Amino acid sequence: MPYFKHSIFLFFIVNLTFSQNSKDPLLGLNEKAQEVWVDSLYNTLTLKEKVGQLYTVQVYSNQDEKAKNTLVELIKDYNIGGVIFSKGDPVSQAKLDNELQSLSKIPLLVSMDAEWGLSMRLDSTFTFPWNMTLGAVKNNKLIEQTGRQIGEHCKRLGVHLNFAPVVDINTNPKNPIIGNRSFGEDKNNVTEKALAFMKGMQSAGVLANAKHFPGHGDTETDSHKTLPTIDFDSKRIDSVEMYPYKKLIKEGLSSIMVAHLNVPSLETRNDYPSSLSNHIVTDILKDSLGFKGLIISDALTMKGAANFDESGQIDLAAFLAGNDILLMSEDPKIGITKIMDAYYEGTISEERLKYSVKKILKAKFKVGLNHYKPIELNHLVEDLNRIKDDVLYEDIIEDALTIVKNKSNLLPLKRLETKTIAYIKMGDDNGSVFFDELKKYTKVHEVKADKLDELLTLLKPYNTVIIGFHRSNQSPWKGYEFSDQELVWLYEIARTHTIILDIFVKPYVLSDLKTIENIESIVVSYQNSKIAQQKSAQLIFGAIPSKGSLPVSVGEFFKVGDGIFNNSIKRLSYTIPERVGMSSKKLEKIDSVAQYAIDNKMTPGIQLLIARKGKVIYNKNFGKHTYEGKEPVTSNDIYDVASLTKILGTLPLLMELEEQGIVSLNSKLSELLPEYKNSNKKDITIKQMMSHYARLSPWIPFYKATLDSITKKPSEKYYRSELIGKFNVQVANDLYLRSDYQDTIQKIIRDSKLLNRLQYKYSDLPYFILKKFIETHYDKPLDELVQDHFYESLGANLTMYNPYHKISNKNIVPTEIDDYFRYQEIHGYVHDMGAAMLNGVGGHAGIFSNANDVAKIMQMYLQKGFYGGKRYLKPETIDKFNTCYYCNRDVRRGIGFDKPQLGKDGPTCGCVSLTSFGHSGFTGTYAWADPEQEIVYVFLANRTYPKADQNLLLKEGIRTEIQRLIYEAIED
C-alpha cells in the first residue's frame, strides 16, 4: 500500500502542469450560442430524461421488430442520449436512423465502431487499411487524410462519434484483441499516427475517440471475454500506455473510452475494472490529465465489466467512477432506475449529473445537432464508396509495403532475361490477384504439388521462387500463422532456390521463422486485399519504390523501424486514373466508343491500354476473337500488330547500331549493302527512307508472282503442302515456300523503279532492306536479335514472331480468312503476305503482342531509352529518331516513327503534342506516346477479320476519337 500511494503521488506531480494546460475540446465555434442551447435544453429535462442522456444503446439496422420496439420505448420514455449502430447495411441504417431521430425529444448522438471505416460494421461500405498497416507508413499526411475520409463517411451516414483511433501500444505480439488494430509498439509512432488520424476525422466534423484507456496493448486476454490484467507499475503506464493520451488531449481530443482492465498499480481493489474505478477515471484521467472531453465506458455488456456485478449496479458504478456516457448497458431501464435512486439518496449530486449531461449536450451542439437534418438517402452507397477513397487506399498501401530483408539487393528484380520464376501460394486464402499481377511483368508460372518431393522436382527448372503467404483479409482478428508443414516446405525450397517470401498478414507471423538464413528477400505486405496483392507484385519488380518500416518488432530477426528503402526502376505500374490526374468518369466514354466499334462490326475484338506518368490506368478488352466465335478477348491474348513491328522490332535495333557508330542517319544504302552499289537506290540515306521521303514504291505484292496464273492459287513451282527440301519457309498451315525466293524478294526491291517525283510516300520497302542489313551485320535472324536485345529483359514475354509454334492458338487472335493467297484462316501466322514469305519474320510486319507488352516498349521510348533499371538507348538517340527532318517539305514523319499531322488530317486526334510519336498497323493496331503529357496509348484489333477490304475503324476515326477522349479526361 505505501508503494501504491508513493507511485500515485509521483503520477499526480508529473501530470499536474499538463492538466492545467488542457482545453475543452467540446466547445463549438459559437460558444455563447452553444451555452444558451445547452442550458435551455437541460432546464427542460426531468430527472429521468437527464439520466437517460447518459445512455448510448446498441442498435442493429437489421434487427427484429421486438428489439426495435424496445429501442423506441427507450427513446420515447427514457430520452436516451444516443445509439451505437452495429451490423447491417448503410441504407437500412440511414432509414432507421431517420426514424429514431424523429422520435427523439433531443437529437440522438449517433456513434459507431468504424476504426478502418464503416465496413467494420456495415456491408456495402469502404474498407480502409488496418492501423497496423498505417503504422508502417512514414507519411503522416496519409494517416490524417484517412481520418478525414473516414470522418466524411461517418458524417454522410449521420454518425457523429466514431470510436477511433485505437491508441493502444501493442507491445505484446500475443494480444488477441488489439494486434492489427494498433499502430504498433513504438509510443512515438503510435502517438503521431493517432494524432494525425484524430485531426483528420475531427476536421470532417466527427468526434474522435481514443481507446482503450489506460492501455490495452500489453495483454494476452480479451476483455470481451474476461478481465485482462495490466501488471506494470504506474511509472511505466504513465510513460508508455498513457503517452498517446497526453498528446491527443493537448491537441483537442473529443472523447476517450475507458477499458475494462485490472490495473493493480492504479487501483488497489483486486480485479476491479478500470472502467469502474473512480481513481483511474476521475483522479487520473479527469484531474491529473485534465481531460475535459467525453469519457465513455467501454461496452458494459463485455465480460470484463459484466462479470463484476449485477445489471444496473455496473451502470451506477461506471457513472460514479466518472464516465459521462454509459455504453451498451445490459439493461438501460434498470440502470436508469439505479442512478435515479442514487440521486434521490444523495449519492449522486445535481452538480455531478449536470456536469456529464451538459457535456453530452455540448457535444451534440458541436456536431450540429442543434440544426438536425435527416440523412439524404439518394446516392448514399455511392457516396460511401468514392474514387478518392480508392486513391487514398492505394497511396497508403504503396507507402506501407516493407522490405525487411534483401540479400544481394535481389529486389527489385532486374535482368529478367536471367530469371526463371515460379510462384508458390501458401496460406488458406486466395493469392490469384498477386499471381496475375506478377505475370504482367514477365513469365511467371504457378507451381503446386501435394507432396514436398514432387514440388521440389517441379521447381528444378526455376532459379527464383516467389512464395506468397496469403491468409484471410476479412478481419484483423483472423489467424495469421504458418502451419508446421508450410514452414518445413519453406525451409526446403529455400535450400535450393533463390527465395522471395511475401507475407500478406500482420508482421508477427515472421516470429514463426526459426531461421531466415536461406531466404534472400522478405516483403511484409500486411494485408491480403486485392490492392495489397497488386502493389506488392509491383514492388517486387520495381514499378513502385519500397517505403515502409515495421511498426513492431518480430522475433529475434526484425526490430521496430526496420525497412529497406528502394527506388523505383521505372517499370510500368498499374493504378486508377485519378492518381495521375485523369477522370475515371470521363474515360468511361471510351468504353462506349470501343463497344460501338464492336457492335457495328468494325473489328471482332479490341485490347485497349492507356498509361500516364508511368502508370497503366486503363486496360480493358472488348469483343471476341471472331464475330461468330465464343472466345472473349483477354489481356493475355496476342494480336498481329502489323506495321507496329517497324517501331517495336526493327527501329530499336537500328537505334542501337546508330549509337555504336555502325551506321548514321546519313549512311547510304550502297554503304549498308554492297549489292546496292549499282542500284538506282545507292545514294538513298537511312534518314530519307525512314522518313518515307526517298521515292520508294509504297508496296510490292510479292506473293502475286508466286500464284498460278490460271487458278490464282499458290503455284507448285514455289510451294509445297509439307516441309520438304528447299521448301522450308512456312507461310501458313500446310504451305511451304521455296527458301530461295527470299533472295528474289530482295532483288525485286533492289531493281524496282523509283517514283517519278520526290514526295512523301509511305513505304514498307525500307524495312525489308534494313532487315537484310541487320541480320547480315549480326549473322543472326531478326526475331532472335530483338528477343535478345530487348524483349527478354523488358519482360515482353508475349511479344514474338511466329507465335503458332510457341503458344496455344487459344491465345492468338486470327486476322483474316484469306481467299487470295493462302486460302485459309490466318491464325498464328503473320497477316502480311511479304512477311509471311520471309518465314514470318519481316522488318515491317510479323510481330505479335498484347497491349501490355507494347506499352512497355512505348514506355521505354517515353523514358528516353530507360526501363526496368536498364539503359537500352541514350536519350539523345531517342530525340534524334523522334525528329521530323522534312517538315518543311510537308513530310511529318520522324525516323521510323510516325508524327502528328502537319495539317488538318493525319494519324492523330490533332490534340497531341508535336513531340509525340507512334505508329499504326494494317490490322487495326495503333500505338502512340506523348512525352509532354506522359501518355502511352495502345489499341490492338483484328479489323481485317474476316475480310480486310473495308477499314471502318479508319473511316469512322475510332482510334483517334478514343485518343481525343483520353486527352479530354486529363484534369490536372
Side-chain angles (χ1 to χ4, degrees), residues 301-318:
T301 51
M302 292 167 60
K303 297 303 182 183
N307 286 349
F308 174 74
D309 209 333
E310 64 183 24
S311 179
Q313 201 61 40
I314 296 170
D315 299 13
L316 176 59

Side-chain angles (χ1 to χ4, degrees), residues 232-269:
F232 300 112
D233 63 36
S234 60
K235 185 177 179 181
R236 145 70 195 246
I237 293 172
D238 178 58
S239 63
V240 178
E241 275 75 14
M242 291 190 188
Y243 183 82
Y245 292 97
K246 297 176 185 179
K247 298 288 186 180
L248 269 63
I249 289 170
K250 189 176 180 180
E251 295 296 329
L253 173 66
S254 299
S255 69
I256 289 175
M257 177 180 285
V258 184
H260 309 308
L261 301 168
N262 177 37
V263 192
S265 65
L266 301 183
E267 171 56 60
T268 55
R269 287 169 288 187

Side-chain angles (χ1 to χ4, degrees), residues 42 319 343 348-358:
Y42 185 81
F319 184 67
Y343 180 91
I348 296 173
S349 68
E350 170 62 21
E351 284 303 309
R352 170 69 188 93
L353 183 60
K354 179 167 64 175
Y355 176 78
S356 286
V357 175
K358 283 195 171 185

Side-chain angles (χ1 to χ4, degrees), residues 127 191 247 276 318 514 523 683 939:
T127 303
T191 301
K247 298 288 186 180
L276 309 184
K514 306 308 178 192
V523 180
D683 293 325
F939 181 105

Side-chain angles (χ1 to χ4, degrees), residues 27-36 365:
L27 288 176
L29 293 175
N30 189 335
E31 294 180 31
K32 185 63 178 174
Q34 183 181 41
E35 184 181 4
V36 170
F365 183 96

Side-chain angles (χ1 to χ4, degrees), residues 274-338:
S274 50
S275 55
L276 309 184
S277 167
N278 180 270
H279 180 65
I280 291 174
V281 179
T282 296
D283 295 346
I284 295 177
L285 180 54
K286 276 179 165 178
D287 297 339
S288 179
L289 297 184
F291 182 57
K292 296 181 175 66
L294 290 173
I295 299 176
I296 305 168
S297 72
D298 206 342
L300 296 174
T301 51
M302 292 167 60
K303 297 303 182 183
N307 286 349
F308 174 74
D309 209 333
E310 64 183 24
S311 179
Q313 201 61 40
I314 296 170
D315 299 13
L316 176 59
F319 184 67
L320 289 173
N323 290 284
D324 300 307
I325 292 179
L326 308 177
L327 185 65
M328 293 168 57
S329 165
E330 279 195 306
D331 193 328
K333 295 178 186 178
I334 294 176
I336 289 170
T337 301
K338 288 278 187 182

Side-chain angles (χ1 to χ4, degrees), residues 171-418:
T171 48
N172 190 336
K174 295 180 181 179
N175 194 318
I177 190 60
I178 304 302
N180 270 325
R181 299 166 67 198
S182 168
F183 292 115
E185 73 174 51
D186 178 77
K187 69 178 185 181
N188 292 302
N189 188 43
V190 170
T191 301
E192 290 170 6
K193 298 293 185 290
L195 182 59
F197 189 100
M198 177 200 84
K199 285 182 174 179
M201 191 159 63
Q202 294 191 164
S203 73
V206 172
L207 304 177
N209 176 271
K211 61 186 185 185
H212 306 84
F213 187 85
H216 206 320
D218 203 332
T219 67
E220 292 188 22
T221 51
D222 179 359
S223 56
H224 292 82
K225 301 174 182 178
T226 187
L227 182 67
T229 295
I230 303 295
D231 206 10
F232 300 112
D233 63 36
S234 60
K235 185 177 179 181
R236 145 70 195 246
I237 293 172
D238 178 58
S239 63
V240 178
E241 275 75 14
M242 291 190 188
Y243 183 82
Y245 292 97
K246 297 176 185 179
K247 298 288 186 180
L248 269 63
I249 289 170
K250 189 176 180 180
E251 295 296 329
L253 173 66
S254 299
S255 69
I256 289 175
M257 177 180 285
V258 184
H260 309 308
L261 301 168
N262 177 37
V263 192
S265 65
L266 301 183
E267 171 56 60
T268 55
R269 287 169 288 187
N270 189 43
D271 290 333
Y272 198 86
S274 50
S275 55
L276 309 184
S277 167
N278 180 270
H279 180 65
I280 291 174
V281 179
T282 296
D283 295 346
I284 295 177
L285 180 54
K286 276 179 165 178
D287 297 339
S288 179
L289 297 184
F291 182 57
K292 296 181 175 66
L294 290 173
I295 299 176
I296 305 168
S297 72
D298 206 342
L300 296 174
T301 51
M302 292 167 60
K303 297 303 182 183
N307 286 349
F308 174 74
D309 209 333
E310 64 183 24
S311 179
Q313 201 61 40
I314 296 170
D315 299 13
L316 176 59
F319 184 67
L320 289 173
N323 290 284
D324 300 307
I325 292 179
L326 308 177
L327 185 65
M328 293 168 57
S329 165
E330 279 195 306
D331 193 328
K333 295 178 186 178
I334 294 176
I336 289 170
T337 301
K338 288 278 187 182
I339 293 173
M340 288 175 66
D341 289 345
Y343 180 91
Y344 289 129
E345 292 166 2
T347 306
I348 296 173
S349 68
E350 170 62 21
E351 284 303 309
R352 170 69 188 93
L353 183 60
K354 179 167 64 175
Y355 176 78
S356 286
V357 175
K358 283 195 171 185
K359 279 171 72 175
I360 293 166
L361 294 176
K362 280 168 68 176
K364 291 185 177 186
F365 183 96
K366 187 174 177 70
V367 297
L369 285 173
N370 56 315
H371 297 297
Y372 165 74
K373 292 180 180 178
I375 302 163
E376 174 58 57
L377 298 179
N378 288 333
H379 309 295
L380 179 60
V381 174
E382 297 94 312
D383 292 344
L384 300 178
N385 295 274
R386 306 165 300 182
I387 291 292
K388 65 184 286 187
D389 301 317
D390 294 319
V391 169
L392 178 59
Y393 193 106
E394 289 201 22
D395 287 342
I396 291 167
I397 295 298
E398 284 193 9
D399 274 41
L401 297 177
T402 308
I403 298 175
V404 294
K405 185 180 181 186
N406 197 24
K407 186 177 179 180
S408 303
N409 293 316
L410 174 63
L411 298 178
L413 290 175
K414 306 184 187 78
R415 299 187 62 206
L416 299 182
E417 71 277 14
T418 68

